[in-house]
């Protein structure tokens, strides 16, 4: 799953690199990094922010009932189905679809 998302990011970055900008008669050749670096930064930010938001939630393991918060980098690229996400349980080490804990008692 991580490989697939990295591949799509790479493909997107490559697709955006062939980019010419025209202002009237003036033609600018935009270096690839002018497009690629902001794109990479935006994607990286989205990846980290998304991951941090997910890692704030608690998930319950369907096998042993262990409640845990996933690491943000694991959460960011985890496979998800609606609110449920596939995580490796830190307690029983089984990889399964974990539901978020919905009761927010703080
Ligand atoms: Zn478990």
């Amino acid at each position: 799953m991580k490989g697939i998302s990295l591949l799509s990011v790479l493909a997107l970055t490559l697709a955006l690199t062939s980019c010419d900008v025209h202002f009237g008669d003036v033609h600018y050749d935009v270096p690839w990094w002018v497009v690629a670096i902001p794109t990479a930064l935006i994607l990286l930010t989205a990846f980290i922010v998304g991951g941090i938001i997910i890692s704030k939630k608690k998930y319950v393991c369907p096998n042993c009932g262990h409640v845990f918060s996933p690491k943000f980098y694991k959460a960011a690229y985890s496979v998800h189905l609606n609110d449920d996400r596939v995580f490796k349980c830190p307690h029983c080490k089984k990889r399964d679809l974990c539901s978020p804990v919905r009761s927010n008692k703080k």
Side-chain angles (χ1 to χ4, degrees):
M1 191 55 199
K2 192 190 179 186
I4 293 165
S5 53
L6 279 175
L7 215 67
S8 57
V9 167
L10 195 70
L12 190 72
T13 313
L14 287 172
L16 287 166
T17 51
S18 53
C19 168
D20 294 334
V21 178
H22 297 268
F23 286 115
D25 293 333
V26 188
H27 176 253
Y28 296 98
D29 273 326
V30 178
W32 67 269
W33 51 265
V34 169
V35 178
I37 290 174
T39 307
L41 282 175
I42 290 163
L43 287 170
L44 195 71
T45 309
F47 180 86
I48 292 170
V49 170
I52 287 170
I53 290 166
I54 298 160
S55 69
K56 297 271 186 231
K57 294 182 185 176
K58 288 190 186 306
Y59 286 83
V60 62
C61 170
N63 297 297
C64 67
H66 182 70
V67 177
F68 61 97
S69 294
K71 294 275 184 289
F72 81 87
Y73 54 88
K74 285 182 181 170
Y77 63 78
S78 61
V79 182
H80 62 97
L81 191 76
N82 299 323
D83 283 344
D84 295 352
R85 286 182 171 265
V86 174
F87 290 119
K88 191 179 173 187
C89 173
H91 184 253
C92 65
K93 312 290 182 200
K94 278 180 187 164
R95 187 174 274 277
D96 216 324
L97 202 63
C98 302
S99 300
V101 179
R102 293 181 199 282
S103 56
N104 281 322
K105 287 177 196 169
K106 278 186 178 175

